């Protein structure tokens, strides 16, 4: 909802600023005059090229700034996972606007074929020192346009490319943005640099370019990155290939601490880069190391190529870089609503932290918390290595957390309808597989509307 609203507001602001610099008579009516000249069509095409171009570069600038992982954006946008979501949709919308821009530009052949060149407006004046760069800027823009489309296609068609090479290619996006900025500056009509459009586009292009350079320099997140070490590591459960590992990290005293339910970008290995993992412990719940370093817990499931190797790679004493904390998955809601927590698989991690914050003597904020109905969906309730700890935490939680376990192997799958039995308006906090999240989302707008807070575990 917020994603749509922000993109809508962004496009409206650009459109209004563009309207403010247009001449009183655009000359689009009639589309074809008495002499058969398609003056109106040519004018319409020209303005369509400009407006779609402004939309596209404006949205790309938004996507660039969002990629900086600025913590102050979390509050208005509802958490860093939502910042990423907006970043993704701003990028997709920018590609759609670029497609419109390209189609409007190509429509000249169609107008020429039907009515001829008569009535085609002369080229608009551009910034004087860039007049000679017109041809180069056009070619550069076309190349960057194809790269942008290809990038969006491989982002959406996840089967085309695994995550790792995708992420590597995605790092080139700031270069595409800088190329499109040059294209815009060289080809935007001189009259568009007047207020308010000139100021708006100048600011967006400058901020987007700064963000692009910051990203190319590898500076994103550096200010919130802390060098720690692995304090302890253990494979949970039967130690089999699918068993999760628990990693306790010791952080420097500078670590700003976190709130239960937050996540961090964790780098165990410089060549691999950072992966997002939830901090599966409440602040202070693990105490400090002998050296006085604050400790925190990660629970990592072997879900992909890299995480499958971690059980063998990680050892106590190794360096770990932790960037964060990020996120607003705090399990709090409106007083008049019944709190419901739904976790699926490793989506249990933020709830482990939220439960630790409800243990006797843990958090001073306990008075502001509400009782909870919790549903935990697991493949096999008989062998799940996290279940005993979850049961113990729920049993001691204050205010109480009533736990229902849904084991696939036991034929106890959770259906969204099952939550209907809980009386009153529901505030649902969900973290888990996409399919279950989508089913809850579909139900959320049903006959009895639910408020669904969803931590997005996919960042592509
Ligand atoms: C906010 C958040 C919290 C998470 N918390 C946990 C947790 O507590 N425990 C846990 O086991 N898993 C957690 N995950 C999932 C975890 O990040 C991925 O399972 C892990 O990164 C997979 O890496 P891979 O290389 O083994 O798998 P791959 O097969 O390479 O990737 C599988 C998927 O993981 C995601 N992914 C991979 N690398 C990255 C990356 N560097 N940055 C962002 N996403 C990536 C992508 O969506 C990708 O499609 C969380 C994810 C997010 C977004």
């Amino acid at each position: 909802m917020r994603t749509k609203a922000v993109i809508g507001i962004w496009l409206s602001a650009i459109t209004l600023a563009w309207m403010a610099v247009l001449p009183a008579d655009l000359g689009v009516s009639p589309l074809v005059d008495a002499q058969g000249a398609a003056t109106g069509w040519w004018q319409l095409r020209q303005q369509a090229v400009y407006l779609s171009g402004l939309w596209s570069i404006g949205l790309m600038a938004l996507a660039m700034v969002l990629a900086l992982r600025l913590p102050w954006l979390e509050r208005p946008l509802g958490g860093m996972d939502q910042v990423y979501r907006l970043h993704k949709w701003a990028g997709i919308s920018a590609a759609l606007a670029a497609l419109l821009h390209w189609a409007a530009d190509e429509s000249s052949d169609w107008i020429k074929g039907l009515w001829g060149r008569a009535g085609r407006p002369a080229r608009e004046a551009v910034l004087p020192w860039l007049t000679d760069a017109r041809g180069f800027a056009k070619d550069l823009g076309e190349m960057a346009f194809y790269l942008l489309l290809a990038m969006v296609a491989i982002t959406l068609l996840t089967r085309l490319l695994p995550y790792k090479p995708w992420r590597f290619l995605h790092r080139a996006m700031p270069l595409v943005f800088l190329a499109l900025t040059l294209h815009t500056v060289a080809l935007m009509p001189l009259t568009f640099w007047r207020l308010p459009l000139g100021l708006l586009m100048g600011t967006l292009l400058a901020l987007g370019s700064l963000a692009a350079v910051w990203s190319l320099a590898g500076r994103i997140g550096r200010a919130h990155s802390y060098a720690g070490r692995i304090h302890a590591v253990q494979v949970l459960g039967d130690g089999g290939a699918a068993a999760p590992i628990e990693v306790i990290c010791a952080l420097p005293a500078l670590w700003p601490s976190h709130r239960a339910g937050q996540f961090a970008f964790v780098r165990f290995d410089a060549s691999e880069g950072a992966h997002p993992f939830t901090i599966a412990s409440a602040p202070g719940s693990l105490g400090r190391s002998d050296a006085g370093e604050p400790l925190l817990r990660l629970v990592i499931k072997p879900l992909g190529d890299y995480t499958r190797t971690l059980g063998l790679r990680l050892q106590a004493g190794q360096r770990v870089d932790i960037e964060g904390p990020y996120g607003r998955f705090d399990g709090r809601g409106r007083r008049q609503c019944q709190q419901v927590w739904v976790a699926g698989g490793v989506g249990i991690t933020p709830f482990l932290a939220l439960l630790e914050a409800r243990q006797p003597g843990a958090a001073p904020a306990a008075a502001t918390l509400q009782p909870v109905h919790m549903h935990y969906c697991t493949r096999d309730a008989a062998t799940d290595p996290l279940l005993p700890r979850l049961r113990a935490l729920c049993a001691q939680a204050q205010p109480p957390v009533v736990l229902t376990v849904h084991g696939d192997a036991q034929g106890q799958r959770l259906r969204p309808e099952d939550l209907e039995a809980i009386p009153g308006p529901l505030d649902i906090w969900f973290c888990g597989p996409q399919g279950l999240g989508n089913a809850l989302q579909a139900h959320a707008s049903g006959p009895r509307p639910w408020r669904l807070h969803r931590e997005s575990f996919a960042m592509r």
Side-chain angles (χ1 to χ4, degrees), residues 63 72 195 199 374:
W72 54 267
L195 284 175
L199 180 65
M374 174 162 195

Side-chain angles (χ1 to χ4, degrees), residues 163 167 263 274-278 299-301 303-307 346 349 456-459:
Y163 186 82
R167 193 164 157 226
F263 72 94
H275 286 251
F277 295 113
T278 304
V299 175
I300 301 177
K301 245 193 151 173
L303 293 176
D305 295 346
Y306 178 65
T307 40
V346 78
T349 47
S456 174
F457 255 37
M459 288 204 162

